[in-house]
Amino acid sequence: RSLLCAWAALLAGWPLAPALAHTPYRQWDIFRRRYLQVLTSRSDLAGDAVGDEWVALLVRRLPLSRAMVSRARDMTRVASLMKTDQARLAVLSHDDARQLAGGLPPYEDFAPMPLQVLLASATHLLVARTNLPLHHAYAITSALLEDNASTGLTVPLEGLYGMAVHPGARAAALGEKVEPPPAESA
């Protein structure tokens, strides 16, 4: 009976999409606010391992961040999620960062990409969208730099591949203080 009603509605030209569609966007948005997600790609196994290491440090040093790795199927998906602001942090190889920041193949469809550098290792970068709050970038960078002698992480103060350094990361690298925003009143 419901199938007949749906068929009749289609023939009458009534849109069924609102009635049949379901999108978990609101829940996804809440999830993104509760968990600090670091995006990696399954196609970059070394970057995925780096992401796991960095997130483990964040979980230990910033437990309230609830940091976690989110894995995209490939680097094109990483670019898409970053471009559409569905992810704010990503681990990129130096080659991918150069190509993405420069709008070079295979990422020419994503240019311009609003990214800033937080940290660099010999093989990978932690990049953020330009809208990552100052105090978040500061806390993340400070936590990951806490033991940089063993991790080999640095903040490239001059930027890399045309990407500027996030101001919060710069402040952390220079030992400056960044005040958190005032708490919202209930």
Side-chain angles (χ1 to χ4, degrees), residues 73-150:
R73 66 178 174 268
D74 55 34
M75 287 307 298
T76 303
R77 185 68 179 145
V78 169
S80 176
L81 291 169
M82 292 297 285
K83 179 72 176 188
T84 58
D85 200 22
Q86 294 179 62
R88 292 203 176 154
L89 291 168
V91 174
L92 303 176
S93 70
H94 284 269
D95 284 341
D96 283 319
R98 182 184 53 76
Q99 292 167 340
L100 190 59
L104 302 173
Y107 308 113
E108 63 272 11
D109 292 340
F110 301 101
M113 181 65 78
L115 296 178
Q116 294 178 323
V117 179
L118 269 70
L119 292 160
S121 73
T123 60
H124 288 83
L125 305 173
L126 181 62
V127 299
R129 292 223 2 133
T130 55
N131 62 356
L132 183 70
L134 180 74
H135 61 283
H136 288 179
Y138 179 84
I140 292 164
T141 304
S142 295
L144 291 174
L145 284 177
E146 201 171 296
D147 189 19
N148 64 338
S150 66

Side-chain angles (χ1 to χ4, degrees), residues 4-185:
L4 286 174
C5 289
W7 186 252
L10 281 175
L11 290 176
W14 295 338
L16 284 179
L20 299 177
H22 170 69
T23 176
Y25 183 76
R26 184 164 187 238
Q27 288 82 5
W28 175 244
D29 194 41
I30 291 169
F31 182 82
R32 288 187 321 166
R33 291 175 198 224
R34 288 191 179 155
Y35 296 90
L36 174 65
Q37 296 176 61
V38 177
L39 190 59
T40 66
S41 170
R42 290 185 182 129
S43 65
D44 178 8
L45 296 178
D48 193 41
V50 166
D52 283 335
E53 290 173 25
W54 292 351
V55 164
L57 288 171
L58 289 171
V59 166
R60 196 166 57 246
R61 296 180 180 147
L62 298 173
L64 295 178
S65 72
R66 299 181 189 129
M68 63 184 297
V69 172
S70 292
R71 290 175 177 85
R73 66 178 174 268
D74 55 34
M75 287 307 298
T76 303
R77 185 68 179 145
V78 169
S80 176
L81 291 169
M82 292 297 285
K83 179 72 176 188
T84 58
D85 200 22
Q86 294 179 62
R88 292 203 176 154
L89 291 168
V91 174
L92 303 176
S93 70
H94 284 269
D95 284 341
D96 283 319
R98 182 184 53 76
Q99 292 167 340
L100 190 59
L104 302 173
Y107 308 113
E108 63 272 11
D109 292 340
F110 301 101
M113 181 65 78
L115 296 178
Q116 294 178 323
V117 179
L118 269 70
L119 292 160
S121 73
T123 60
H124 288 83
L125 305 173
L126 181 62
V127 299
R129 292 223 2 133
T130 55
N131 62 356
L132 183 70
L134 180 74
H135 61 283
H136 288 179
Y138 179 84
I140 292 164
T141 304
S142 295
L144 291 174
L145 284 177
E146 201 171 296
D147 189 19
N148 64 338
S150 66
T151 62
L153 292 173
T154 61
V155 176
L157 295 176
E158 298 302 317
L160 285 171
Y161 314 120
M163 292 182 287
V165 176
H166 193 289
R170 176 182 298 282
L174 297 176
E176 299 170 355
K177 295 292 179 198
V178 171
E179 295 299 321
E184 294 180 23
S185 57

